[in-house]
Amino acid sequence: MIKFIKGRIKGVGYAFKGAYLLITTEASVKAQFFIGVLVTIAGFYFEISKTEWMIQSLTIGLIMSLEGLNTAVEEIADFIHPEHHKKIGLIKDVAAGAVFIFAIAAIIIGCFIYIPKFTQ
């Protein structure tokens, strides 16, 4: 049991390290983090509801997680095939496209939450 707990603690340490590396080294994650901070401030300013907080928090978490997965796909693709390759390019484009699709959804979610606040 102790070995299991130590393993989980070690795993959490790796996860924190990965999150720190993402936030401090990846431009796209930095941008998403900055936007997340701005909408969090806006949430306090506009006193959004608990439901809106839940949706906003999930949206921020999901977009940053997708950015992290996209970064991981790009890194492993570059590691496997460092030179430009048509198939690797397709893989990287599809991963970036997945982030883009959710980024559009996140903007729509933000509009549903905040546009009514400006019209009150």
Side-chain angles (χ1 to χ4, degrees):
M1 182 69 158
I2 298 294
K3 186 177 179 181
F4 174 80
I5 293 170
K6 284 183 180 179
R8 299 300 62 88
I9 291 170
K10 201 174 199 180
V12 169
Y14 292 137
F16 273 111
K17 179 182 176 184
Y20 176 79
L21 287 171
L22 270 172
I23 292 170
T24 58
T25 63
E26 293 299 319
S28 58
V29 178
K30 286 180 184 179
Q32 295 296 349
F33 184 78
F34 179 72
I35 292 167
V37 169
L38 288 180
V39 295
T40 299
I41 292 168
F44 285 113
Y45 179 80
F46 289 108
E47 298 177 348
I48 62 177
S49 71
K50 287 181 183 180
T51 302
E52 290 168 329
W53 272 116
M54 287 187 289
I55 293 168
Q56 178 171 295
S57 298
L58 283 169
T59 302
I60 293 167
L62 186 54
I63 194 70
M64 292 190 62
S65 296
L66 284 172
E67 286 284 7
L69 289 172
N70 180 51
T71 298
V73 167
E74 289 181 357
E75 290 292 325
I76 199 163
D78 290 343
F79 178 76
I80 291 169
H81 205 291
E83 304 84 38
H84 178 74
H85 188 277
K86 187 176 178 180
K87 206 62 161 161
I88 295 293
L90 173 68
I91 292 165
K92 291 167 73 172
D93 288 347
V94 168
V99 175
F100 178 73
I101 289 168
F102 190 73
I104 297 300
I107 290 167
I108 293 167
I109 290 166
C111 288
F112 277 122
I113 293 172
Y114 288 104
I115 287 176
K117 309 294 185 205
F118 287 108
T119 60
Q120 291 179 351

